[in-house]
Amino acid sequence: MKHRPHCVPLILLILLTTSCTAPRPAPRPALPAARIRVDQVGWTPGETKVALLMAPSDAAGVTATVVDGHDDPVLTITAGPSRGEWNTRYRAVNPLDLTALRTPGTYRVRIHDRISAESPAFRIDAAGKLYTPVVADTVQYFQAHRDGADQVGGTWRRSPAHLDDRTATVHRTPADDDSALESTGTRLDVEGGWYDAGDYLKFTHTTAYALIVMQLVQRDGPAPAALPAEIRHGLDWLTRMYHDGVLYTQVGVAGNDQYLGDHDAWRLPQADDGLDVQPGDRRYYQRYRPVFRAADPGDPISPNLAGRVAAAFALGAQLEAHTDPARARSHLDSATRLLEQADTGMSGDELVTTVPRSFYPEESFADDLALGWAELALAGKALGDQRTAAWTDQARRWADETEGGDDGLTIYDVDALADAEMYRLAPANALVQDLRTRLDSAVKAAAGDPMRATSGAGGADYAARQLGWAATASLYRRMTGDGRYDAFATAQRGVTLGANGWGVSMVIGAGAQYPRCPHDQIGTLTRTSMTGAVVNGPNVADRVESLEGETTDSFCSEGSYTEFDREDAQYLDDMRVSATNEPSLDFTATGMLAFALAAAG
């Protein structure tokens, strides 16, 4: 007789399956995945803190929990109404207001309510603790991009390079990109300086901008210990580029069908010194690099260059007025001569920047002259120069010419700095109003973007423009004590540090997710992180796709972020794609100032 199975003791259920085993509950269906974007460096206790939830559909009202470093819940919040669609996969961007989170520590945001998501870690801490280290990192980028014999030891394993720049030959500016180069026969010592970006060109235009920013950080703080030596390295090179009343604009050249230039071979800079080349060889100008000048000897100088180079020298005079008066006086004299040589009759399309001009085209010069004269007057005050009043009048004249602009701080527009420095020199309500007009326009533009980014989803100089707006708002705060743009500044900084559609910090080494394969020869070839570098960030989709398709030869790629791309903007972490992943002097200098202002609170 067959017996029906009996239920067995609980311990045997581990080994036996019987007909009386209770049915297991059906697994809960997985919740739709979402993404949470945060400033991956963090926020100060008193800041307006907004994380961004990217969801498949409007997630307004879902519950989010903030957990600390021990995984303990410390705050519960609900998502606000959608700010709009990000792309076809993430059709809603919902704000998560974390402003109530004020206790220093490390946190994450988690959601398991209709959707599932978890943010990267972020910190709440004092401004100095969060951002002073980021400022120090930006100095490392400049150290890694030194040219010449004077190198700084670091993980990037640099060697002296381009020592032939000590006897570089001056060439006439070519008529167009395809023209042959013509020597003037003049030789010049232009050794040193910094590489402009991922290539090995050296520009007076971008170096002067970087030096202006670096010296403002040194003057007003907080300044990293390594910054003074870097400033001196840059000023020494700029001094070589202004020789006997002639201003020289660049060392090196982009290539064409006749010769290869500094863009045309992926190599470490010291490799150029070993090239065995003769005139006419395709790589001749990679070793024996041409120098170009802003104007012929005796001719007036393009006013944009005269103004910003003068500002760099005048700031040097301010910093050295008490420690090295003789050197300070020399810088003051250089700044004075440059401003007196400025050709203020030039039109916008005649302004000189680089060869080719398309690298950094300038359309106006009043902002450069306003800044140059303001810094000269401040230097005059520091050195007790009797011409200070006249220089102040000139600064005021050109500051009046800049009113009505609509841009924040960029390599192309230094009016925000001119306003702030003029206000230090001679406070006036018109300067405050000029910045307020610019910032009001930017706040309105940001309101139309789901991430609250003034510059939208992507484009040329994207990260630098966001940081420039953060710096502009902070300069306004420092000038006036008025905090109406504080939350705006925090949001623009956050976009650059991970609170964007791709969840990528555009500052290498800042946060958890940042570019690993920059379009930077030194960093990529030495397999070292180019810490502190600010890259472009997301760019116009057509531009990214065209660069990606030019060659399949990529020895460093972390791949695409196609899940987060839009029809109008993409991001790709690949050493081939300069449009998204190339760092530069001006990007990183703008970041240095924005982070220094943030660190100062």
Side-chain angles (χ1 to χ4, degrees):
M1 176 177 179
K2 296 180 73 174
H3 297 279
R4 295 179 61 161
H6 297 283
C7 290
V8 295
L10 182 60
I11 193 169
L12 295 180
L13 288 177
I14 300 171
L15 304 174
L16 302 173
T17 301
T18 70
S19 61
C20 62
T21 301
R24 295 179 180 177
R28 292 169 58 185
L31 294 175
R35 304 282 179 165
I36 300 173
R37 305 308 196 199
V38 298
D39 182 323
Q40 293 177 25
V41 172
W43 292 279
T44 65
E47 282 188 295
T48 299
K49 306 179 255 305
V50 180
L52 300 166
L53 170 63
M54 295 168 57
S57 60
D58 190 357
V62 303
T63 300
T65 302
V66 180
V67 298
D68 63 16
H70 302 288
D71 239 20
D72 295 328
V74 297
L75 180 67
T76 300
I77 55 176
T78 57
S82 173
R83 292 175 170 179
E85 179 179 282
W86 177 251
N87 63 14
T88 56
R89 181 164 183 164
Y90 297 101
R91 294 187 175 275
V93 178
N94 297 86
L96 301 168
D97 191 345
L98 308 178
T99 303
L101 190 62
R102 301 179 66 89
T103 303
T106 300
Y107 301 92
R108 294 178 186 270
V109 183
R110 289 180 180 157
I111 295 177
H112 199 74
D113 175 15
R114 291 165 33 200
I115 54 175
S116 178
E118 180 171 323
S119 78
F122 60 91
R123 291 170 58 200
I124 304 297
D125 215 330
K129 291 183 178 179
L130 290 175
Y131 287 100
T132 300
V134 185
V135 178
D137 284 347
T138 61
V139 179
Q140 283 193 53
Y141 171 79
F142 285 86
Q143 292 175 326
H145 283 75
R146 282 191 182 193
D147 195 17
D150 186 12
Q151 295 296 317
V152 176
T155 56
W156 45 81
R157 304 189 299 278
R158 286 293 315 284
S159 301
H162 297 127
L163 301 185
D164 288 302
D165 285 356
R166 292 170 175 168
T167 55
T169 300
V170 178
H171 287 68
R172 291 182 174 83
T173 301
D176 53 57
D177 295 351
D178 296 324
S179 298
L181 297 185
E182 182 182 353
S183 168
T184 66
T186 302
R187 292 189 177 273
L188 194 67
D189 179 3
V190 290
E191 185 242 348
W194 300 299
Y195 303 125
D196 171 68
D199 51 69
Y200 300 134
L201 293 164
K202 300 187 293 191
F203 294 135
T204 300
H205 180 74
T206 55
T207 295
Y209 175 80
L211 279 168
I212 290 166
V213 167
M214 295 165 83
Q215 291 179 106
L216 288 172
V217 171
Q218 180 64 34
R219 188 191 70 189
D220 301 331
L227 186 54
E230 215 52 37
I231 290 171
R232 192 174 187 98
H233 179 81
L235 274 176
D236 286 347
W237 183 77
L238 200 63
T239 301
R240 295 187 184 105
M241 295 295 282
Y242 183 50
H243 183 72
D244 286 344
V246 179
L247 182 65
Y248 297 88
T249 58
Q250 91 186 50
V251 181
V253 68
N256 61 25
D257 291 340
Q258 302 176 50
Y259 53 82
L260 299 179
D262 282 275
H263 281 279
D264 301 318
W266 203 262
R267 79 281 184 200
L268 289 174
Q270 56 265 27
D272 291 349
D273 292 57
L275 290 174
D276 184 11
V277 289
Q278 302 296 323
D281 290 351
R282 292 268 291 156
R283 297 188 67 177
Y284 181 80
Y285 292 118
Q286 288 182 346
R287 176 169 181 176
Y288 301 106
R289 305 194 300 168
V291 181
F292 302 99
R293 58 197 178 196
D296 290 340
D299 286 353
I301 295 172
S302 190
N304 55 305
L305 279 173
R308 70 175 53 200
V309 176
F313 281 132
L315 274 160
Q318 293 173 44
L319 292 178
E320 295 170 344
H322 300 296
T323 58
D324 192 344
R327 183 175 164 92
R329 179 63 64 178
S330 175
H331 290 326
L332 183 81
D333 291 344
S334 293
T336 306
R337 290 197 308 273
L338 275 161
L339 288 168
E340 290 171 348
Q341 290 178 268
D343 184 358
T344 58
M346 270 191 169
S347 62
D349 58 0
E350 295 176 311
L351 299 179
V352 176
T353 52
T354 61
V355 180
R357 187 178 184 273
S358 58
F359 284 162
Y360 293 97
E362 283 270 15
E363 297 178 356
S364 63
F365 59 83
D367 55 324
D368 298 290
L369 289 177
L371 181 59
W373 284 109
E375 298 299 2
L376 183 62
L378 287 167
K381 288 181 67 175
L383 289 165
D385 196 293
Q386 295 181 352
R387 296 168 290 180
T388 299
W391 295 338
T392 301
D393 289 342
Q394 285 284 358
R396 189 178 291 112
R397 170 203 168 186
W398 289 106
D400 289 344
E401 294 284 335
T402 67
E403 292 178 12
D406 59 0
D407 212 347
L409 175 63
T410 69
I411 182 71
Y412 308 101
D413 190 335
V414 296
D415 186 57
L417 292 181
D419 282 348
E421 293 298 276
M422 268 301 301
Y423 196 84
R424 175 186 291 261
L425 179 65
N429 185 62
L431 300 167
V432 174
Q433 190 58 50
D434 184 46
L435 279 189
R436 191 178 294 169
T437 298
R438 292 169 185 264
L439 286 162
D440 285 342
S441 176
V443 169
K444 183 177 180 180
D449 181 79
M451 300 294 174
R452 296 299 186 260
T454 303
S455 299
D461 299 4
Y462 181 76
R465 288 184 181 277
Q466 295 298 133
L467 290 168
W469 278 118
T472 301
S474 296
L475 288 168
Y476 174 86
R477 178 71 145 88
R478 191 171 69 182
M479 284 168 59
T480 65
D482 179 357
R484 72 180 68 189
Y485 302 111
D486 288 357
F488 168 78
T490 299
Q492 305 317 299
R493 186 192 74 213
V495 169
T496 309
L497 293 172
N500 56 69
W502 293 266
V504 176
S505 168
M506 300 165 211
V507 183
I508 297 177
Q513 186 66 28
Y514 53 81
R516 261 61 179 191
C517 293
H519 183 84
D520 183 279
Q521 298 180 71
I522 296 168
T524 303
L525 289 172
T526 61
R527 297 295 198 271
T528 56
S529 179
M530 194 48 64
T531 300
V534 177
V535 304
N536 186 93
N539 211 327
V540 178
D542 290 347
R543 176 68 175 148
V544 177
E545 291 170 356
S546 67
L547 288 169
E548 184 184 9
E550 281 184 2
T551 175
T552 58
D553 183 18
S554 178
F555 49 82
C556 186
S557 178
E558 288 293 312
S560 64
Y561 287 68
T562 53
E563 177 183 342
F564 312 114
D565 286 343
R566 297 158 46 110
E567 289 187 358
D568 59 346
Q570 295 181 7
Y571 175 73
L572 189 64
D573 187 0
D574 190 303
M575 49 79 67
R576 293 171 298 173
V577 185
S578 58
T580 60
N581 253 27
E582 185 173 20
S584 70
L585 290 186
D586 65 287
F587 294 173
T588 307
T590 304
M592 183 187 294
L593 180 62
F595 298 133
L597 289 165

